[in-house]
């Protein structure tokens, strides 16, 4: 196992022994289960109407994908996974590096010959593993009824890919904020603000009737929405990759300068 | 047979901290089996020097060589070669003592059987068995020092860097610490320890270096004369204060 693997294992252990990760998982999954039941209820109530409409949306469109994000439904239902992620990811990532800095354990990692890249990536992959597990448990809800309905697996797979990339991007932003902050609370606030700004950057443009401008391109929701609709385009994938790479590169740079700053 | 290079060599090392010089043009060497005591009043630059030797801080100028290689260009040398106990023994409060040992062993490249053996021998050596399941966050300062020392010793480093290792230890634990330091040196490791306690230095070190205001003011072998060392130390410390005033 590389030094990055050792850091990832250490970080995952720290994540799993703290109550925060378990409380967040329990509360958010309970809320998502409630949303799932409400979506399913609506779907069953409208069965007759849907059956008589040619080309009507099915189980995937009305239950599976809205569970992951409410950007398409905009209903008054409880939050989808995307909206919850905007809050959960900052809370999970806030201690990754800021906590080590506050505990004075970051120099210990540096003195073990572990490179700044291995420290940052190890911590990032540990958080990402937790987030992907959270996504898997959420997706298991609509999948549990797949045998009794007609599931559009391609569309659901595109949506899951979109959510996985969203979690990866928010996780990278959270780790970067944690790298720059001296206290976990500051990191969480910065990460939440950045995530919300990135998610809603296109709102003003949309209200002004601009659908294809810079603000639309900058916004996370623009790229996620396409994937939630089942459209996988390389432009969207590149956007997510860019955000992840830039955030992690900044975090690595910041940890590397810790040796110089002292 | 003489070895071609010392285990540790500092050459004209400088470092600023908080806008003031913390270490000024420091040069010293340390050979295998030597125990060097780094003495100085608070703020003399001891912890900064040790953090640079441990690879946690980068010198602004100068060069640090470990086993003949430039530490700046080979930072991974620290992995197997160096063990560091920082001041106040930092830890992850949510992990148990055993989890700390395992994590440090993995970070130092130990795996499977080697990891288990290293942990077991260190637990036995530092009598950590009763503490294994305890969270590091609830340990006393003395217990945390022992845990920090165990983490520094796990991988049998050839250079042991100890920053105020006797802090918060009771007299029995201090005696055990001295025994461990002597055993490490006897096994061929070089040990550098910082302290502001003269008795600590005379008890275990065979060489002493005195830092004052970041500069090396004294570097000589110890002849066991506690009074002479005390006189030298106070002369440097008081003269330094006079000059500063």
């Amino acid at each position: 196992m590389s030094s990055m693997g050792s850091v990832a294992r250490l970080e995952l252990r720290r994540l799993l022994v703290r109550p925060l990760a378990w409380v967040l998982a329990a509360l958010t999954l309970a809320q998502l289960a409630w949303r799932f039941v409400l979506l399913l209820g609506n779907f069953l109530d409208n069965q007759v109407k849907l059956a008589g409409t040619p080309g009507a949306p099915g189980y995937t469109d009305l239950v599976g994908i809205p569970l992951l994000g409410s950007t398409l439904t905009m209903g008054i239902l409880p939050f989808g996974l995307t909206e919850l992620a905007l809050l959960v990811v900052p809370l999970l990532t806030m201690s990754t590096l800021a906590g080590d800095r506050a505990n004075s354990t970051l120099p210990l990692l540096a003195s073990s010959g572990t490179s700044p890249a291995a420290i940052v990536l190890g911590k990032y992959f540990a958080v990402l593993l937790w987030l992907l597990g959270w996504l898997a448990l959420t997706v298991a809800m609509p999948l549990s009824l797949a045998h009794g309905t007609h599931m559009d697996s391609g569309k659901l797979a595109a949506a899951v890919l979109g959510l996985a990339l969203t979690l990866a991007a928010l996780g990278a932003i959270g780790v970067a904020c944690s790298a720059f902050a001296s206290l976990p609370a500051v990191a969480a606030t910065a990460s939440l603000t950045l995530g919300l700004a990135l998610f809603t950057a296109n709102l003003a443009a949309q209200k002004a009737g601009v659908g294809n401008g810079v603000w639309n391109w900058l916004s996370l929701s623009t790229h996620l929405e396409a994937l939630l609709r089942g459209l996988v385009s390389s432009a969207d994938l590149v956007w997510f990759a860019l955000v992840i790479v830039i955030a992690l590169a900044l975090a690595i740079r910041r940890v590397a300068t810790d040796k110089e700053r002292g | 047979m003489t070895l071609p290079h010392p285990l540790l060599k500092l050459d004209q090392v400088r470092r600023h901290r908080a806008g003031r010089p913390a270490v000024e043009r420091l040069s010293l060497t340390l050979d295998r089996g030597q125990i060097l005591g780094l003495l100085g009043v608070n703020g003399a630059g001891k912890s900064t020097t040790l953090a640079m030797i441990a690879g946690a801080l980068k010198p602004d100028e100068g060069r640090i060589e470990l086993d003949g290689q430039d530490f700046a260009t080979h930072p991974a040398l620290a992995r197997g070669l160096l063990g560091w106990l920082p001041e106040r023994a930092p830890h992850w409060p949510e992990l148990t003592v055993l989890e700390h040992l395992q994590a440090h062993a993995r970070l130092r490249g130990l795996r499977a059987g080697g990891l288990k053996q290293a942990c077991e021998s260190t637990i036995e050596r530092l009598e950590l068995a009763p503490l294994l399941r305890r969270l590091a966050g609830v340990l006393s300062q003395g217990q945390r020092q022992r845990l920090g020392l165990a983490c520094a010793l796990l991988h049998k480093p050839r250079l042991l860097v100890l920053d105020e290792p006797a802090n918060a230890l009771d007299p029995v634990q201090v005696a055990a610490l001295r025994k461990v330091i002597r055993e490490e040196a006897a096994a061929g490791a070089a040990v550098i320890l910082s302290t502001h306690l003269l008795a600590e230095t005379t008890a275990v070190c065979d060489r002493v270096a005195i830092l004052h205001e970041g500069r090396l003011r004294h570097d000589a072998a110890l002849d066991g004369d506690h009074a002479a060392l005390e006189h030298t130390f106070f002369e440097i410390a008081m003269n330094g204060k006079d000059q500063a005033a």
Side-chain angles (χ1 to χ4, degrees), chain A residues 7-19 21 95-100 103 105 109 123, chain B residues 91-95 99:
Chain A
V7 175
R9 193 168 171 164
L10 169 64
E11 189 61 27
L12 198 60
R13 185 72 199 149
R14 290 181 62 208
L15 205 58
L16 295 179
V17 296
R18 280 192 302 237
S95 294
T96 47
L97 290 154
D100 271 327
N103 288 340
T105 41
L109 292 175
K123 285 172 177 284
Chain B
H91 59 279
W92 293 283
E94 65 274 36
L95 296 187
E99 285 167 343

Side-chain angles (χ1 to χ4, degrees), chain A residues 46-73:
Chain A
N46 292 312
Q47 276 290 289
V48 177
K49 203 167 101 185
L50 289 170
T53 312
Y59 174 74
T60 311
D61 292 306
L62 295 176
V63 180
I65 292 169
L67 179 67
L68 300 179
S70 59
T71 50
L72 298 181
T73 58

Side-chain angles (χ1 to χ4, degrees), chain A residues 16-262:
Chain A
L16 295 179
V17 296
R18 280 192 302 237
L20 180 68
W22 295 103
V23 171
L24 284 175
L27 290 177
T28 54
L29 286 170
Q31 202 253 236
L32 287 164
W34 179 31
R35 182 176 170 86
F36 175 63
V37 170
L38 290 174
L39 287 166
L40 190 62
N42 282 345
F43 175 67
L44 293 174
D45 288 346
N46 292 312
Q47 276 290 289
V48 177
K49 203 167 101 185
L50 289 170
T53 312
Y59 174 74
T60 311
D61 292 306
L62 295 176
V63 180
I65 292 169
L67 179 67
L68 300 179
S70 59
T71 50
L72 298 181
T73 58
M74 292 292 178
I76 52 163
L77 290 171
F79 294 127
L81 189 76
T82 314
E83 294 75 41
L84 289 173
L86 290 171
L87 183 65
V88 166
V89 176
L91 290 173
L92 269 187
T93 53
M94 65 181 180
S95 294
T96 47
L97 290 154
D100 271 327
R101 192 169 285 120
N103 288 340
S104 304
T105 41
L106 205 52
L108 269 185
L109 292 175
S111 78
S112 67
T114 309
S115 68
I119 293 172
V120 170
L121 293 177
K123 285 172 177 284
Y124 173 66
F125 286 129
V127 170
L128 192 58
L129 198 63
W130 190 97
L131 290 172
L132 293 178
W134 186 51
L135 174 62
L137 287 172
T138 307
V139 175
M141 294 180 207
L143 283 179
S144 65
L145 298 178
H147 65 282
T149 183
H150 296 289
M151 178 82 86
D152 185 343
S153 51
K155 203 169 189 179
L156 187 66
V160 170
L161 174 66
L163 253 295
L165 289 170
T166 300
L167 293 176
L170 291 175
I173 291 168
V175 169
C177 289
S178 190
F180 280 89
S182 50
L183 292 169
V186 177
T189 310
S191 176
L192 177 67
T193 309
L194 273 175
L196 281 172
L198 207 56
F199 198 72
T200 57
N202 62 344
L203 279 185
Q206 275 179 352
K207 286 200 170 165
V210 182
N212 206 15
V214 175
W215 289 107
N216 299 87
W217 183 85
L218 268 178
S219 176
L220 189 155
S221 51
T222 305
H223 305 278
L224 175 62
E225 212 172 289
L227 287 157
L228 288 176
R229 289 183 196 281
L231 303 170
V232 181
S233 78
S234 50
D236 293 326
L237 301 184
V238 166
W239 184 89
F240 281 109
L242 270 177
V243 171
I244 293 166
V245 168
I246 290 170
L248 292 178
L250 287 172
I252 291 167
R253 175 77 195 123
R254 180 62 183 83
V255 171
T257 56
D258 263 9
K259 279 191 183 185
E260 286 150 29
R261 287 164 178 245

